[in-house]
Amino acid sequence: MAGIGITLHAQNKAKYESLVQEADSLYGAKDFLGSAQRYSSAFEYMGGGGTMEDKYNAACSWALADIPDSAFNQLFQLAERAGYDDIPSLLLDNDLNQLRIDLRWPNLVVLVSANRFKAQAKLNRPLAHLLDSIFIEDQLYRQQGPMVEKQYGRDSEEWKAMLQEMGRSDSTNINLVRDILDKHGWLGADSVGEIGNVTFFAVIQHADLATQQRYLPMMRAAVAKGNADGGDLAYVEDRMSLDEGRRQVYASQIGFDKDTGNYYVLPLEDPDHVDERREKVGLGPIADYVSHWGMRWNVEQYKAQLPALEAKWRAERK
């Protein structure tokens, strides 16, 4: 991503990236203050600069460390100096929850929204705006899910109510996206922006199997033309494989075992070579992916558990 007033030259890029990796590791360990401080060290090494992604991640760490002044400093830098325009992430990211009650928040949202409006000047602005709104709606309940689960549990009325609202939202979004696809085809980021383009996959992935099957040829053609991301297609294909009773291919779909309270990788074809397949479509290593659910990937252990895991999963599907 674009930097803020810097260029990462070869001689200092390695040091900068090393510090950022340390910051990411500390974030993963929930040492948010340590993470934020390590990001600061990385930026100081670059004369106060850093990439847009790293500046945003630093803001998240400062927010989670309950130091809002530093978080807002990073975010306003992004908005005012780097043209940051990712309003969906700003509105949805749970890391920033503590900032949303601050009097500075509305001004930040106005700045980022203005950047978004400028960035969409060459796009099909009405469609881009509509797809942005659909994306926010699609992700809203999925962002809330972990918090509702942690606070109330999956057997609670609150959890059931959230799922009901998510289903209602998904139904509306699917109809809207169908109308766009049927009228305009699978539009690329050059027409509806990156978030708009991703929204097609996000909504279709959460649609019923018949809808997924209907648009699969269009999805594959879009990837072939460069109008869509192969990694996004992998998520949809994995979801379809499982819905059709087959094993997934890219390990993108994660299940939850109510009996143990643990997450697990849903039935996977050829686990030994999953990272090779993931790399081909632009996805990172499975070990990094499953760590987001507190899992450690051990392929031999997974293969040993797979028959029992798959039998239980198929029984639950009946």
Side-chain angles (χ1 to χ4, degrees):
M1 294 186 180
I4 302 178
I6 64 162
T7 300
L8 295 182
H9 297 294
Q11 62 267 29
N12 53 23
K13 182 178 180 181
K15 179 63 175 178
Y16 175 87
E17 291 183 346
S18 175
L19 289 167
V20 167
Q21 287 175 1
E22 290 178 25
D24 290 343
S25 296
L26 290 167
Y27 173 92
K30 300 189 183 301
D31 180 359
F32 301 121
L33 179 58
S35 173
Q37 292 172 336
R38 194 67 84 250
Y39 275 120
S40 291
S41 296
F43 302 150
E44 288 174 6
Y45 189 80
M46 300 302 298
T51 67
M52 188 177 292
E53 180 181 5
D54 295 339
K55 287 281 187 176
Y56 177 85
N57 289 341
C60 291
S61 291
W62 284 120
L64 291 168
D66 198 21
I67 304 179
D69 288 350
S70 295
F72 276 111
N73 180 53
Q74 297 294 343
L75 292 170
F76 274 107
Q77 278 191 44
L78 287 173
E80 294 171 346
R81 298 170 56 189
Y84 179 74
D85 68 350
D86 191 352
I87 193 68
S89 290
L90 192 72
L91 297 178
L92 291 169
D93 196 333
N94 291 330
D95 286 355
L96 305 179
N97 283 346
Q98 295 182 19
L99 303 183
R100 297 190 176 104
I101 60 174
D102 192 289
L103 293 177
R104 289 167 286 189
W105 182 257
N107 291 333
L108 178 64
V109 171
V110 168
L111 282 172
V112 176
S113 297
N115 290 340
R116 189 73 167 179
F117 187 80
K118 293 176 184 177
Q120 292 179 343
K122 296 181 180 180
L123 304 180
N124 184 326
R125 186 171 277 166
L127 281 182
H129 179 72
L130 174 59
L131 287 165
D132 277 0
S133 300
I134 292 172
F135 182 80
I136 291 172
E137 183 79 9
D138 177 82
Q139 294 296 305
L140 180 62
Y141 297 106
R142 290 170 174 86
Q143 293 282 353
Q144 292 177 349
M147 293 184 292
V148 174
E149 178 186 3
K150 182 178 180 180
Q151 185 171 358
Y152 301 105
R154 288 189 171 227
D155 293 326
S156 66
E157 291 302 316
E158 288 80 2
W159 177 263
K160 295 175 183 176
M162 187 206 68
L163 291 181
Q164 186 175 17
E165 285 300 307
M166 185 166 65
R168 177 199 58 77
S169 172
D170 285 351
S171 179
T172 299
N173 289 338
I174 290 166
N175 288 333
L176 290 170
V177 166
R178 278 175 178 164
D179 289 343
I180 296 172
L181 292 176
D182 290 344
K183 184 176 181 179
H184 300 279
W186 200 285
L187 299 172
D190 60 335
S191 179
V192 293
E194 291 184 8
I195 295 297
N197 184 247
V198 168
T199 300
F200 292 134
F201 273 116
V203 172
I204 294 300
Q205 183 185 186
H206 301 141
D208 57 278
L209 180 59
T211 297
Q212 293 171 343
Q213 292 170 333
R214 174 180 173 180
Y215 292 105
L216 182 60
M218 188 183 291
M219 288 186 272
R220 288 175 171 166
V223 171
K225 292 178 182 178
N227 282 343
D229 182 74
D232 291 334
L233 177 59
Y235 276 75
V236 177
E237 290 184 328
D238 272 357
R239 180 73 67 90
M240 291 180 64
S241 294
L242 292 167
D243 286 345
E244 292 170 346
R246 297 179 286 111
R247 293 179 177 181
Q248 62 176 324
V249 175
Y250 302 101
S252 67
Q253 304 301 304
I254 306 299
F256 179 78
D257 190 329
K258 293 182 179 180
D259 295 332
T260 65
N262 295 324
Y263 292 94
Y264 65 98
V265 176
L266 289 170
L268 173 65
E269 187 69 32
D270 187 18
D272 286 309
H273 300 97
V274 62
D275 273 338
E276 296 173 22
R277 299 192 297 274
R278 289 175 63 87
E279 184 178 7
K280 286 181 180 179
V281 296
L283 297 176
I286 185 174
D288 293 344
Y289 180 66
V290 301
S291 68
H292 295 295
W293 289 270
M295 292 184 283
R296 291 187 177 182
W297 178 249
N298 182 316
V299 68
E300 296 303 326
Q301 183 181 56
Y302 181 81
K303 288 191 295 183
Q305 295 174 343
L306 183 55
L309 179 156
E310 186 166 21
K312 183 176 183 179
W313 172 74
R314 291 189 182 282
E316 291 174 348
R317 285 169 50 85
K318 292 181 180 179

